[in-house]
Each structure stands twice: as C-alpha cells, then as structure tokens.
Amino acid sequence: MRGLKDKRVVITGGASGIGAATAARFLEEGSKVAILDRDGPACARIRTELPAIAGTFLADVADYKQVQRAFGDMVVALGGLDVVINNAGISIRHKFLDITPEEWDKVLAVNLTGVFHVAQTAARYMMEHEGGVILNTASTNGIVGYPCYADYNATKAGVIELTRSMALELAPKVRVNAVAPGY
C-alpha cells in the first residue's frame, strides 16, 4: 500500500479478526487509525496490541444514534476523516428453515443496516469536506452463496449492491468499493 501516511482511518469491527489485521496494516503505513467496535474487552485488548491507534470507540453499528455519537468523537480524535473501512459483521450459522425471525433481524441489522449507518454518516462528512474513501467488507458468500448461511449471504449480497449504488452517487468526491473475502 502506498500513499497512506497520515491518512485518517476508521475501521468498524476493528477490535478483532480482519478488522484488527487491517488496523495493524494501516498503522504500518503511517495512518492514524480509530476503531469502532461494540466489544469493550476486545477494544481494551487491541489498545494493548496496537498502542499506536488513535483510539477505540464503543458503538453498535446497528444503532444509528450510537454511530452518530461515535463518529463525532472519532473525527475529533483523528483530526478529520479520509478512509472508512466498513468491516463489522456477524454470522449465525443455521439451516434456512431453522433461522428465527430474531436471528434474521440481528444479522441484517449488523451486516447491512450497520454498513448503511456507517457509510451514510461517513459519506455526509466526506462530501462536506475533502472527500475520501469508503471500503465495505462484503464476502464471496454474497456472490456464490453457501448452505447454512442464508441470512449472512443475503446481507453480503446487499452490501455489494449498496456499494455499487453508493459508488455511482458519490463519485467522484467519495470513492466507494467493496472487498469480498472468502475462505
């Protein structure tokens, strides 16, 4: 990666897994990184593992008001905003006929509505300022689909289409892409 020195980066779901690895990589490139996550103990661990981060901010991406509050704090901590990595996501593995309405709602709330909340909040800021980049984490599940992941597959397909729409509407000031990790 090049050109990331001093970029101000927010990573959702950044306290563990792909998000934590992404945070570490951006820090290696000299970026200023803030992590948004709903897991307090994981945020405490990542602050120890990556002491160079600008901060961790507790919020559930499925809750619009929490996202709004956290973004205000993150922008202040970073001194602005250049890049948002929309990485937060959950998976509840069940056969299609066994998914409860509550489980369906929970997965959609985090994986799709959460991406919307964060992306829209970030895009509004970026459109009013110098622009920026929004990178949404989709999945190969949103392209191919896998058994026992109907809810997850549906959300990741939604992220892919949301990304396409955002890219068309926000260009050229805000660049929007998705990555689709697989197994």
Side-chain angles (χ1 to χ4, degrees):
M1 296 192 293
R2 292 183 185 233
L4 298 175
K5 184 167 177 44
D6 297 322
K7 293 295 182 185
R8 299 156 303 180
V9 180
V10 167
I11 303 171
T12 70
S16 63
I18 292 172
T22 303
R25 188 67 182 103
F26 271 90
L27 288 170
E28 288 173 11
E29 292 296 322
S31 299
K32 296 163 86 175
V33 176
I35 291 173
L36 177 72
D37 206 291
R38 67 180 184 181
D39 186 340
C43 284
R45 278 191 306 276
I46 200 70
R47 279 194 304 271
T48 301
E49 293 171 15
L50 301 175
I53 60 173
T56 57
F57 299 83
L58 288 175
D60 184 342
V61 296
D63 185 314
Y64 181 72
K65 288 181 182 176
Q66 288 184 32
V67 169
Q68 295 294 295
R69 186 185 69 249
F71 255 84
D73 295 340
M74 287 186 294
V75 167
V76 168
L78 292 170
L81 180 64
D82 299 303
V83 179
V84 170
I85 312 289
N86 235 331
N87 178 69
I90 62 171
S91 173
I92 303 172
R93 295 174 184 106
H94 287 307
K95 291 183 179 181
F96 173 72
L97 294 176
D98 296 333
I99 299 170
T100 68
E102 295 78 20
E103 290 168 334
W104 176 265
D105 290 344
K106 184 177 180 179
V107 173
L108 256 66
V110 173
N111 294 6
L112 187 54
T113 304
V115 168
F116 168 77
H117 288 161
V118 171
Q120 189 181 63
T121 301
R124 283 191 171 129
Y125 178 88
M126 291 172 177
M127 293 299 280
E128 292 174 5
H129 293 85
E130 300 85 35
V133 175
I134 299 172
L135 182 61
N136 296 325
T137 303
S139 171
T140 57
N141 287 53
I143 301 165
V144 178
Y146 294 95
C148 299
Y149 286 92
D151 48 2
Y152 183 82
N153 296 345
T155 63
K156 294 305 182 173
V159 167
I160 292 166
E161 290 307 316
L162 177 61
T163 300
R164 287 180 174 141
S165 297
M166 290 170 54
L168 292 169
E169 291 185 34
L170 299 174
K173 194 163 187 178
V174 178
R175 190 172 64 241
V176 185
N177 286 291
V179 294
Y183 289 106

